[in-house]
Amino acid sequence: DVRGDAPDRRVEIDAVDDGPGFAPELAGAPLDEPRSTKAGGSGLGLAVARALAGASDGTLSHRNGAAGARVSLSLPAARS
């Protein structure tokens, strides 16, 4: 799902899946440090994505949706 919000000049992108969602210990955890519930997982994916979003004056959030996981990216719209 991609949305643009003219008054705030932001672009919102939501990535949603229909899997089991985030594990309870990750669902409300901050994304500042790598975390994984997978054996051998580095947990770098969301931590790196959050750092890149922040470097672009954006935000990245995660939560469990109605069915599965939801990751939301918000970035400032390009200026023309």
Side-chain angles (χ1 to χ4, degrees):
D1 184 20
V2 178
R3 296 176 307 283
D5 189 357
D8 290 345
R9 302 226 8 103
R10 301 202 57 87
V11 175
E12 308 279 334
I13 301 170
D14 287 337
V16 182
D17 72 17
D18 59 359
F22 290 103
E25 62 271 20
L26 296 180
L31 297 173
D32 333 8
E33 56 188 60
R35 296 167 193 224
S36 179
T37 58
K38 296 179 184 173
S42 67
L44 288 175
L46 290 177
V48 169
R50 181 188 172 280
L52 291 172
S56 300
D57 293 325
T59 60
L60 186 79
S61 62
H62 68 295
R63 63 193 174 283
N64 285 325
R70 177 179 293 264
V71 176
S72 301
L73 173 65
S74 175
L75 294 169
R79 293 184 174 96
S80 51

